[in-house]
Amino acid sequence: MRFLILAAYVALSTFQAVVICSGLDAWIGIPDVAAVPVATLLGLVPGAGTIVAILAAGSAWGWPWFGSTALFCSLLALWVHVILHHAMPALSTPEGE
C-alpha cells in the first residue's frame, strides 16, 4: 500500500509541476530553464502547489475549474490520508490503556 501511495504522489506531483511550468510560461513568459526548478519546488508543496496548479490548468490549458480542482485536490486528499492513517495512530495511545 505504501508503494501505491508513493507512486500516486510522484505521478500527481510530476503532472502538477508540468502544469505549473506551463502556467508560469503563460502568465509571465518565464523561460523553461527558469520555470522548471520553480515549478518542481511548487509541485512538491501540498497546499500552495495545488492552488497554483489549479489556476495554471484553468488559465494556461483551458481546463474547466471543476476538473482541475478535482484532479489536484486528490493530491491533498492523499496527503490527508497518509497523515491520518500513518502519523496520527503513532501519536495516539491505543484504546483501553
Side-chain angles (χ1 to χ4, degrees):
M1 183 66 164
R2 289 183 183 173
F3 177 74
L4 290 175
I5 291 172
L6 178 64
Y9 174 73
V10 169
L12 281 172
S13 293
T14 302
F15 187 65
Q16 191 166 291
V18 170
V19 172
I20 292 171
C21 189
S22 296
L24 289 173
D25 185 33
W27 293 330
I28 56 177
I30 191 169
D32 289 339
V33 174
V36 168
V38 172
T40 302
L41 290 175
L42 278 174
L44 294 174
V45 177
T50 301
I51 293 169
V52 174
I54 290 168
L55 295 173
S59 63
W61 287 0
W63 281 22
W65 295 107
F66 180 75
S68 61
T69 302
L71 176 67
F72 294 120
C73 282
S74 64
L75 186 58
L76 280 177
L78 182 65
W79 268 95
V80 169
H81 167 74
V82 168
I83 289 170
L84 292 177
H85 190 264
H86 296 289
M88 294 303 283
L91 299 175
S92 63
T93 58
E95 290 184 28
E97 286 189 341

